Amino acid sequence: MEWQDAVDLSRFIVSAAPFGGPIALIRGDKHFARVQGSAINKPIIHIFSSAGRELATVKWDGGPIVQMGWSVTEDLLCVADDGTVMVYDIHGAIKKTLMPRNLKLLTAKPIILLEGLA
């Protein structure tokens, strides 16, 4: 893996696509230091090939991520704690945003299936 010396996986939330597809990483909240008054404190989603080559980076502007997963078409689905779902392609370009009204994910954890979101 090209990231072998640069990435400590124990510090990240990891989502690997099936069948040798891409891998998405975002630093876990417990390892993310927030700096008061800083605009640099937005987490970054890194998208790697299965060989570890970085394909894209995405600045995450939503709330805390509660679930990440890949669809069968290799779209990355990121679910925030407010229920917002952001869909990215393998190159980090946003494809779709789904925003439910008045929803806070407190007890239920979303399930990302190959065909979509449940």
Side-chain angles (χ1 to χ4, degrees):
M1 300 288 260
E2 292 183 26
W3 68 29
Q4 186 171 353
D5 296 325
V7 176
D8 176 6
L9 290 179
S10 68
R11 300 177 144 259
F12 288 85
I13 298 169
V14 180
S15 178
F19 314 116
I23 301 166
L25 305 171
I26 188 167
R27 189 175 299 272
D29 278 342
K30 63 182 179 181
H31 302 292
F32 189 70
R34 299 204 185 273
V35 179
Q36 186 176 10
S38 172
I40 311 172
N41 63 358
K42 296 289 184 181
I44 304 291
I45 299 171
H46 301 273
I47 302 174
F48 291 92
S49 71
S50 57
R53 192 180 92 239
E54 190 167 54
L55 301 173
T57 58
V58 176
K59 185 169 82 171
W60 177 253
D61 287 325
I65 291 180
V66 294
Q67 186 74 12
M68 274 192 326
W70 292 91
S71 71
V72 71
T73 57
E74 293 189 343
D75 291 330
L76 177 63
L77 288 79
C78 300
V79 183
D81 70 342
D82 65 356
T84 301
V85 179
M86 303 289 283
V87 182
Y88 298 94
D89 69 12
I90 195 172
H91 304 291
I94 190 150
K95 292 180 77 172
K96 192 182 302 185
T97 302
L98 307 170
M99 299 177 70
R101 295 177 185 243
N102 301 324
L103 175 67
K104 189 75 171 172
L105 297 176
L106 297 175
T107 56
K109 185 172 183 181
I111 301 170
I112 297 176
L113 307 170
L114 290 178
E115 296 82 20
L117 186 66

